[in-house]
Amino acid sequence: MTKYIFITGGVVSGLGKGIAAASIGLILKGRGFSVVNQKFDPYLNIDPGTMNPFQHGEVFVTDDGAETDLDLGHYERFTDATLSQSSNTTSGRVYLAVLNREREGGYHGGTVQVIPNITEEILSRMLLSTEETGADVIITEIGGTVGDIESLPFIEAIRQLKYRVGEENCCYIHLTLVPYLGKAHEMKTKPTQHSVKELQELGIQPNILMLRTELPIDENTRERLAQFCNVDPDCVIQNLNAKSIYEVPLNMEKEGLGDAVCKALGLEKRETHLEDWAKMVHTFENPKHKLHIALVGKYIELHDAYLSVVESLTHGGIANEAEVVLDWIDSETLTDDVKVADRLAGADGIIVPGGFGSRGIEGMVRAARYARLNKVPYFGICLGMQIIVIEYARDVLGWTDAHSTEIDKDTTHPVIDLMPDQNGKILGGTLRLGKFECAVKPGTLTEKAYGSLTVWERHRHRYEFNNKYRTDLEKAGLIVAGVNPERDLVEVVEVPDHPWMLGGQFHPEFKSRPNRAGPLFRDFIKAAVDYQGRQAKN
């Protein structure tokens, strides 16, 4: 029988339910169980695909083209899973499905209500992962904070599921904050008690309390919370602030989380094997090099907008025993070459990640020119790849107005453009989403990184390299290192006579793992280490 774990949050938002859910998945996988993570979010958007990155953060993309919450990235990176469309559900999707069914006569003229219709739709989606994967354990994170009006249907659904699959097959974990008042020299348990009380009033008794704290919890605090929240003392798990997110599952296992979960679900008690993960954490915390990487972007006020890119740079650092220190640079501030030289002078590498819209584009172009002329390692992702093409067309071929038609519809050299079959579609309808094949050119940096002539990576973009200008750009030296064989779309470009300057139209950050860095991130950081070494000799 499949077992179900539900993770709710209380007191405040932003406690790290996603990391907690991912850590539980890693711990159970380390015990030999098959696990699948999923997230249910209470907001009414159909998905985060059209949401502002400043508000929502990164949009994570799965192999099958789902635009999902960024926590799915944590799930995949920690459990090395491949998630899908069914792994992220929003209230918008639920209500849309129910209303469409009503319009089609699916309820035979009956009244459509939150209970049972909305909750039934939620339940069917929660159980879908069981049907698709047959996993031993399904871990479901409920977005938001207990007490929010919009999350009530999801709380009711997970309450009902207990009676559908059996109480012995459900484990409820409540993640809350235990604040420390410095003036009083005391940890306060009342917020957690009230949060649990609110959850109990909704019909759910948590099996495990996970407590975010800045200081270790003493036994008196643990006993008090166990007594007033009606849980066993060994199921009160402290979740101390860690040096890095990678330490969290190791700390949770030491705290006894794995044993508590297995006890709650009646799972066989097994030894946990996290040796490879612990080795990776040790390497991360004991680097031999320290690199400064300039991240030139347009959403830098909210670092979560580039979460997978940042994590993948860290993975590349781990693979090269290097600490990666990011210099967050707003591309709008790079208004002339003097400012570019001043801001990028100390960079061992430059990365320009994805983005949409015209803001900050010229600053990115200046950064790419600086990297090309000064032989600084440069990695362009999606928009960052297009920036390479625009800069090369302008500076090498002399097409001074070369641009993307996303930015300048009147350019006489639209080196980046929509494909003919994309014109006229609504927003979102033109995005190329999910996993696509890339045929790699032999002898390139790309082939060296992947060790293969065939690559599959995930995409999320609308505009493409314009093949009309491909011959001229290649004659001028630009290397087309990868092409989608199905549609002859350029996937990777490289700059000649440069140690490492590469742009990929795809998003390799979505498949990178802490203990298995994405090949391009690994080699980009290696190039930065080499560059730092050359600079030290000069």
Side-chain angles (χ1 to χ4, degrees):
M1 183 72 182
T2 299
K3 307 290 184 175
Y4 298 88
I5 297 173
F6 299 101
I7 301 172
T8 54
V11 183
V12 296
S13 60
L15 291 178
K17 291 196 303 296
I19 298 297
S23 296
I24 294 167
L26 176 62
I27 289 169
L28 291 176
K29 186 176 179 181
R31 294 188 175 211
F33 298 105
S34 59
V35 300
V36 170
N37 286 76
Q38 58 185 1
K39 184 170 185 182
F40 283 69
D41 264 316
Y43 54 78
L44 285 173
N45 304 71
I46 303 302
D47 59 46
T50 56
M51 293 176 72
N52 190 325
F54 284 119
Q55 184 179 73
H56 186 270
E58 169 190 81
V59 174
F60 189 80
V61 177
T62 61
D63 273 359
D64 62 355
E67 293 181 285
T68 74
D69 182 82
L70 56 82
D71 279 322
L72 270 73
H74 293 312
Y75 305 160
E76 284 206 359
R77 286 187 284 271
F78 276 52
T79 66
D80 198 20
T82 300
L83 300 179
S84 66
Q85 292 275 356
S86 63
S87 303
N88 191 200
T89 294
T90 68
S91 287
R93 283 193 171 194
V94 171
Y95 279 85
L96 183 65
V98 169
L99 292 173
N100 282 340
R101 191 175 300 126
E102 188 274 334
R103 292 287 84 189
E104 294 165 0
Y107 299 106
H108 308 293
T111 303
V112 177
Q113 298 174 294
V114 172
I115 299 173
N117 305 109
I118 295 298
T119 51
E120 278 295 324
E121 180 67 22
I122 293 170
L123 284 167
S124 69
R125 289 169 179 264
M126 285 182 175
L127 294 169
L128 184 59
S129 291
T130 308
E131 300 171 11
E132 291 181 344
T133 67
D136 297 323
V137 183
I138 306 295
I139 303 169
T140 304
E141 175 190 349
I142 305 299
T145 305
V146 169
D148 295 343
I149 292 174
E150 58 265 30
S151 64
L152 290 177
F154 294 99
I155 300 298
E156 171 61 18
I158 66 176
R159 184 196 68 81
Q160 292 181 18
L161 191 69
K162 174 176 63 176
Y163 301 101
R164 183 166 301 193
V165 302
E167 187 172 359
E168 70 280 4
N169 294 313
C170 288
C171 174
Y172 300 98
I173 300 176
H174 193 49
L175 176 63
T176 76
L177 176 69
V178 179
Y180 176 77
L181 296 185
K183 289 291 184 180
H185 304 288
E186 185 181 7
M187 284 187 168
K188 293 297 183 181
T189 63
K190 280 294 185 213
T192 292
Q193 291 179 46
H194 284 296
S195 183
V196 171
K197 181 174 179 288
E198 189 152 13
L199 197 57
Q200 290 170 334
E201 289 175 350
L202 296 172
I204 293 175
Q205 167 61 52
N207 303 91
I208 298 170
L209 289 183
M210 187 180 290
L211 311 175
R212 278 302 304 272
T213 68
E214 294 184 9
L215 297 174
I217 296 172
D218 58 45
E219 284 307 308
N220 287 335
T221 302
R222 192 185 299 269
E223 291 286 345
R224 189 183 313 122
L225 281 169
Q227 179 182 0
F228 287 109
C229 296
N230 196 29
V231 299
D232 293 336
D234 58 358
C235 291
V236 179
I237 308 293
Q238 70 174 1
N239 186 353
L240 277 167
N241 292 347
K243 294 179 184 176
S244 74
I245 60 173
Y246 307 126
E247 276 193 348
V248 174
L250 300 177
N251 294 344
M252 292 295 93
E253 178 62 11
K254 289 177 184 176
E255 275 287 304
L257 178 61
D259 288 341
V261 169
C262 289
K263 178 183 176 182
L265 292 173
L267 289 169
E268 177 187 353
K269 190 173 181 180
R270 303 173 181 173
E271 185 178 352
T272 308
H273 293 285
L274 297 176
E275 294 86 359
D276 288 345
W277 192 268
K279 182 179 178 182
M280 176 273 294
V281 172
H282 177 79
T283 301
F284 170 70
E285 294 180 350
N286 297 275
K288 295 180 179 178
H289 312 280
K290 185 174 183 178
L291 299 175
H292 289 86
I293 302 297
L295 190 153
V296 181
K298 57 195 303 182
Y299 311 122
I300 65 167
E301 293 175 25
L302 181 66
H303 292 185
D304 274 358
Y306 300 116
L307 182 61
S308 289
V309 171
V310 173
E311 290 301 309
S312 298
L313 289 168
T314 300
H315 305 164
I318 293 169
N320 289 281
E321 299 181 282
E323 177 187 358
V324 176
V325 179
L326 288 180
D327 182 10
W328 295 83
I329 299 177
D330 186 341
S331 58
E332 281 193 289
T333 66
L334 303 180
T335 54
D336 57 54
D337 291 342
V338 174
K339 290 181 179 178
V340 170
D342 180 60
R343 288 294 277 115
L344 298 178
D348 300 307
I350 300 167
I351 186 164
V352 177
F356 296 91
S358 61
R359 187 173 57 82
I361 294 296
E362 293 305 318
M364 297 177 190
V365 172
R366 292 187 185 97
R369 182 177 297 116
Y370 177 89
R372 181 173 60 83
L373 297 178
N374 293 279
K375 311 296 184 186
V376 182
Y378 173 102
F379 187 12
I381 298 174
C382 196
L383 175 61
M385 172 268 202
Q386 298 174 2
I387 292 296
I388 289 181
V389 178
I390 292 168
E391 192 281 323
Y392 203 88
R394 289 182 185 181
D395 209 51
V396 177
L397 279 167
W399 299 340
T400 56
D401 76 330
H403 224 310
S404 165
T405 53
E406 178 185 13
I407 314 302
D408 181 5
K409 296 189 181 299
D410 297 322
T411 174
T412 60
H413 294 91
V415 292
I416 306 296
D417 197 8
L418 286 174
M419 296 298 97
D421 60 339
Q422 293 173 313
N423 283 302
K425 293 188 178 180
I426 62 172
L427 183 64
T430 57
L431 282 176
R432 187 168 165 229
L433 287 165
K435 182 177 71 172
F436 291 91
E437 182 181 358
C438 173
V440 177
K441 184 176 182 179
T444 56
L445 295 171
T446 308
E447 188 209 6
K448 181 180 178 182
Y450 285 99
S452 173
L453 295 178
T454 301
V455 171
W456 291 84
E457 290 283 10
R458 300 176 188 177
H459 295 64
R460 182 178 183 257
H461 63 99
R462 181 174 293 108
Y463 288 78
E464 306 274 0
F465 182 108
N466 190 344
N467 280 333
K468 176 182 176 182
Y469 297 96
R470 180 171 165 180
T471 299
D472 287 335
L473 284 162
E474 286 187 297
K475 283 182 179 178
L478 190 67
I479 301 166
V480 174
V483 174
N484 172 252
E486 181 182 355
R487 298 182 61 191
D488 194 34
L489 299 174
V490 173
E491 298 275 19
V492 189
V493 297
E494 298 175 10
V495 172
D497 303 320
H498 192 287
W500 210 94
M501 189 167 186
L502 180 151
Q505 185 62 76
F506 44 71
H507 288 265
E509 67 269 25
F510 293 144
K511 292 176 67 175
S512 185
R513 303 288 185 260
N515 45 13
R516 192 179 67 256
L520 295 180
F521 284 95
R522 181 198 63 221
D523 282 16
F524 170 61
I525 296 300
K526 174 63 166 60
V529 171
D530 294 342
Y531 174 82
Q532 186 184 72
R534 290 194 300 271
Q535 292 300 105
K537 292 179 181 178
N538 293 338

